[in-house]
Each structure stands twice: as structure tokens, then as C-alpha cells.
Amino acid sequence: MRLLKLTTMLFVGLMLSMPISRISAIQITVAKDGDITSVQTGIDQAQPGDTVFVKEGRYIEYDIRINKRITLLGEENAIIDGDEQGFVVVVEADSVVIKDIEVHNSKAGFMDDYAGIVVESAHNVRIENVKLVNNFFGIYLAKSEGTVLKNNHITASYQRETNSGNGIHLWYTKDVEITDNYIYGHRDGLYFEFVDGATISGNISEGNIRYGIHFMYSDNCRYENNTFRDNGGGVAVMYTSNVEIINNRFADNWGSSAYGMLLKEINRSVIRNNTFENNSVGLYMEASSRNDIKDNTFSQNGWAIQLMANSTDNLFSKNNFIANSFEVSTNSRMNYSNNFDKNYWSEYEGYDLDRDGVGDVPHRPVRLFSILVEKQPESLLLLRSLLIDLLDAAEKFMPVLTPETLIDSKPKMEPVL
């Protein structure tokens, strides 16, 4: 009993001797007319676990460094303005939270990859409800794990690729969650390189100079319920395996080299329940193999699918092809095990005598005219001419130039979905 009393007294004495900030988190307030008028000063005075609350006003500061586990929280209309002098906020500690604040005007320049918020070699960081305006890179993550980016509004107004950064940029990161963000006016809306295990859902990326999303060497990622529209080149997915692209919308990407989505060397991936509408090319595939493309809708595109002959063993099943100028085009008479099965084709002219919902004659989605356009783009002027219709009809009955095996043997009579 005596030993217990002695231990209790020592514990109480130790707790009383500690500073209050060591045993309970506090809030430090930064205000234009308060005792602390600088965001960096508030961060410097905080202890791990504290909250730095920034009151309404514009704070002209740059290269703000967060090197301890704190929450940076803003009142409505609290703005940290980098004045185009450098980085605005740099996160160097794990488990930092940045929330409900505005970050404006980083410096521009590729030599140092300036950004509104940089997270480098820090894990489990959360950035939520942040408005980023006119930064070179909006949010830049490097060598980090477990980051959450949620409901941020990221805009810029750049005009050329050579002088603009990306809205959300990930390099060498793992297990990132990017949800419900809006990105506009950057070079790429989202850019991933050497990313593993990311989940990207509910984002809107539009009006960006190059791609809505551009990712390379990023395996095991899932993209779901996003909208990519009116971007310079659409979406580009390159050199990646095991990707799930589910229920996204690719729309209004027009131009001589614009696509809803471009796949280059994409293997063993799932592309399902997506909508491709009103693009120059809905889906472009090059050197991509063993992908499952199912339950998608391609409507009112110039080309629904451009399938290069170096793509192999892909399965296109139960998709809708509605009112596209060209359904499928390719660059060779050879077809290496790409299979079309039970798709709906609005251009199908066959019949269904046994009423089982499946056309009785196969559908050939590759028009002779699409091959002519591939070799001679100027011939596109003849798209609506009677001569071209006659050539296409003759090619369907006696294929000479189109791939003989690139057919749908069981075309559906009604839309699949």
C-alpha cells in the first residue's frame, strides 16, 4: 500500500510539473488585428496536436512550413496569399490536417515545381474543403502515403502547357484517396506517375489545357464516378496494369488529337459502365491487351473506338454504340483475338426472325470509309455522300480491306443498358 501511494504521488507530481500544452491540445488564433498576425508564427508557437485557426483576412506569406502534427483551420474568407513569391504551404510532418481555408498565388516555374500546397515525405495528411486559386501546381504530393484530398476547389487560368502546372500532381505515392474535388484551368487536371493503390472518385476535371487526367506507371488504381469533359486531349492512361475505370463520364473533348480516353500499353484492366459522348474519338487503344471493356455507352462521337492492330486479346461485350459517325476503325486488316460480343449497334441493319433479341446476321462495325479516312483524312468531306454508302454496303457483303474477323456475331437488337 505504501508503495502504491508513493507511485501515485510521483505520477501526480510529474503531471503537475508538465506544461499545459503537453497534456491538452489548444487552439492558437491568427488574426489581422490580434496578438498573432502571421500564419507561420502561429504554426511555430503550436505544439503537436494543436489547431492553428486563421481568422478572416488576406495573409501575404509564402514558404510556410508545417513541421509538426497540427490542424490548420480557416474562417470563411481566410486567405493565405503567396504573392507569386514561392511555395505557399509546405507540409513536412505526418498527420497534418489543412481544412476550410484558401491558398492563392504560388510562384510559377518548373525548376522548383512551385505549388499552393506541397506534401513531401509526409504520411496520412488530410487536405479538405480548401480553395486553391491561381497556383502553378495546385496540390503536389511526393513520396507520401495515406493522403486524403477531399472536396477541394482548384482553379487556374493558364493558356499554354509550357507555363502551367497540374491541378493535383502525384509522384511516387501510395494509397491516396482523392474524392469530390473540382479542377479547372491547369495543364493536366490530375497527373499521376509511379502511384500505387490510389482511389479517385467523384471528381470533376474540366477545361484543362492538356488532359483531364494523365497517369503513367501507376498500377492497382481505381477511378470511379468522375467526370472528365472539355479538356484539350481528354484522358490519357499509359504504361499501367490492373486499373479499374468504372462509371465515369468522358465528354466534349474535340480536336484533331482529342480523345475521350486514350489507352497506351494498358493491360489486364476493367473498363465498365462508363459513358463516352460527343468526343472526336471515344476510346483510342494502342498496344493494350487482355482488357475487359463492358457495359459502356458510346454515343455521338466522331469515332466510338479506334483500335490499333497492336492491341490484342481485348473483350468488348454488352456495350451500346449509338449515333457515332464511325463505330470502330483500325489500321490493319489483321485482328489479333480482339472479340466483340453482344453489343448494341445503332447502325445495325440486320434482322431477328426468331425474336430472341439477337441479330441473325453478324455486324461488321469497321466501315471501308473509315480506312480511307485513316489513310487520307481529307476524304472525310465525303462522309454523307451516296458513293460512300454504296462502298460501305459492298464491303459488308464482300470484305476486302476491312478485318474479316473483327465482327460482332451476336449483335443485340435493343440497347443493352
Side-chain angles (χ1 to χ4, degrees), residues 98-101 126-130 148-152:
I98 302 176
K99 192 173 179 181
D100 299 334
I101 200 165
R126 187 178 189 92
I127 301 172
E128 184 174 355
N129 298 334
V130 175
V148 175
L149 308 179
K150 185 175 182 180
N151 200 33
N152 301 295

Side-chain angles (χ1 to χ4, degrees), residues 307-354:
L307 179 64
M308 298 298 103
N310 56 2
S311 296
T312 61
D313 296 310
N314 297 292
L315 174 61
F316 301 83
S317 64
K318 298 182 179 179
N319 301 289
N320 291 316
F321 293 85
I322 301 171
N324 302 286
S325 297
F326 299 102
E327 291 173 330
V328 178
S329 72
T330 185
N331 59 345
S332 170
R333 286 207 72 225
M334 304 302 296
N335 173 38
Y336 299 99
S337 303
N338 295 299
N339 185 23
F340 286 82
D341 184 54
K342 298 178 182 175
N343 302 284
Y344 170 74
W345 310 87
S346 63
E347 298 296 314
Y348 181 58
E349 297 175 340
Y351 42 83
D352 179 22
L353 296 179
D354 56 5

Side-chain angles (χ1 to χ4, degrees), residues 118-174:
V118 177
V119 179
E120 184 162 6
S121 301
H123 304 322
N124 302 315
V125 172
R126 187 178 189 92
I127 301 172
E128 184 174 355
N129 298 334
V130 175
K131 187 174 183 180
L132 295 113
V133 179
N134 197 34
N135 298 288
F136 189 59
F137 288 86
I139 300 174
Y140 192 114
L141 307 183
K143 295 186 286 187
S144 301
E145 291 186 23
T147 307
V148 175
L149 308 179
K150 185 175 182 180
N151 200 33
N152 301 295
H153 192 278
I154 306 168
T155 60
S157 55
Y158 293 107
Q159 303 297 320
R160 293 183 295 137
E161 291 183 21
T162 52
N163 66 356
S164 61
N166 304 316
I168 295 177
H169 184 105
L170 275 65
W171 181 77
Y172 205 72
T173 61
K174 188 175 181 180

Side-chain angles (χ1 to χ4, degrees), residues 189-206:
L190 301 99
Y191 179 92
F192 296 172
E193 189 171 0
F194 303 112
V195 177
D196 186 68
T199 300
I200 303 95
S201 63
N203 302 283
I204 298 175
S205 180
E206 65 177 352

Side-chain angles (χ1 to χ4, degrees), residues 10 153 165 188 215 220 225 258 317 368:
L10 287 173
H153 192 278
D188 293 333
F215 67 97
N220 309 312
N225 299 322
S317 64
L368 171 62

Side-chain angles (χ1 to χ4, degrees), residues 228-363:
F228 305 103
R229 66 187 171 213
D230 194 25
N231 296 293
V235 167
V237 186
M238 303 179 180
Y239 314 112
T240 297
S241 297
N242 297 323
V243 181
E244 293 181 311
I245 302 172
I246 311 292
N247 202 33
N248 301 284
R249 179 170 179 253
F250 305 86
D252 303 323
N253 300 290
W254 279 104
S256 58
S257 59
Y259 311 91
M261 182 164 65
L262 178 152
L263 303 182
K264 183 179 178 64
E265 297 194 30
I266 301 302
N267 303 309
R268 301 185 300 281
S269 296
V270 174
I271 301 164
R272 185 168 294 175
N273 286 326
N274 301 286
T275 300
F276 300 82
E277 58 183 352
N278 202 33
N279 303 286
S280 294
V281 179
L283 175 61
Y284 177 92
M285 297 181 65
E286 179 178 338
S288 298
S289 301
R290 298 185 296 283
N291 298 296
D292 184 9
I293 301 108
K294 184 178 181 182
D295 296 335
N296 304 286
T297 294
F298 299 84
S299 65
Q300 298 184 317
N301 301 284
W303 284 260
I305 295 177
Q306 286 189 333
L307 179 64
M308 298 298 103
N310 56 2
S311 296
T312 61
D313 296 310
N314 297 292
L315 174 61
F316 301 83
S317 64
K318 298 182 179 179
N319 301 289
N320 291 316
F321 293 85
I322 301 171
N324 302 286
S325 297
F326 299 102
E327 291 173 330
V328 178
S329 72
T330 185
N331 59 345
S332 170
R333 286 207 72 225
M334 304 302 296
N335 173 38
Y336 299 99
S337 303
N338 295 299
N339 185 23
F340 286 82
D341 184 54
K342 298 178 182 175
N343 302 284
Y344 170 74
W345 310 87
S346 63
E347 298 296 314
Y348 181 58
E349 297 175 340
Y351 42 83
D352 179 22
L353 296 179
D354 56 5
R355 306 280 186 181
D356 65 351
V358 177
D360 295 340
V361 295
H363 178 64

Side-chain angles (χ1 to χ4, degrees), residues 84-99:
E84 301 182 359
Q85 298 297 312
F87 301 95
V88 184
V89 178
V90 180
V91 178
E92 301 172 326
D94 295 348
S95 304
V96 168
V97 176
I98 302 176
K99 192 173 179 181

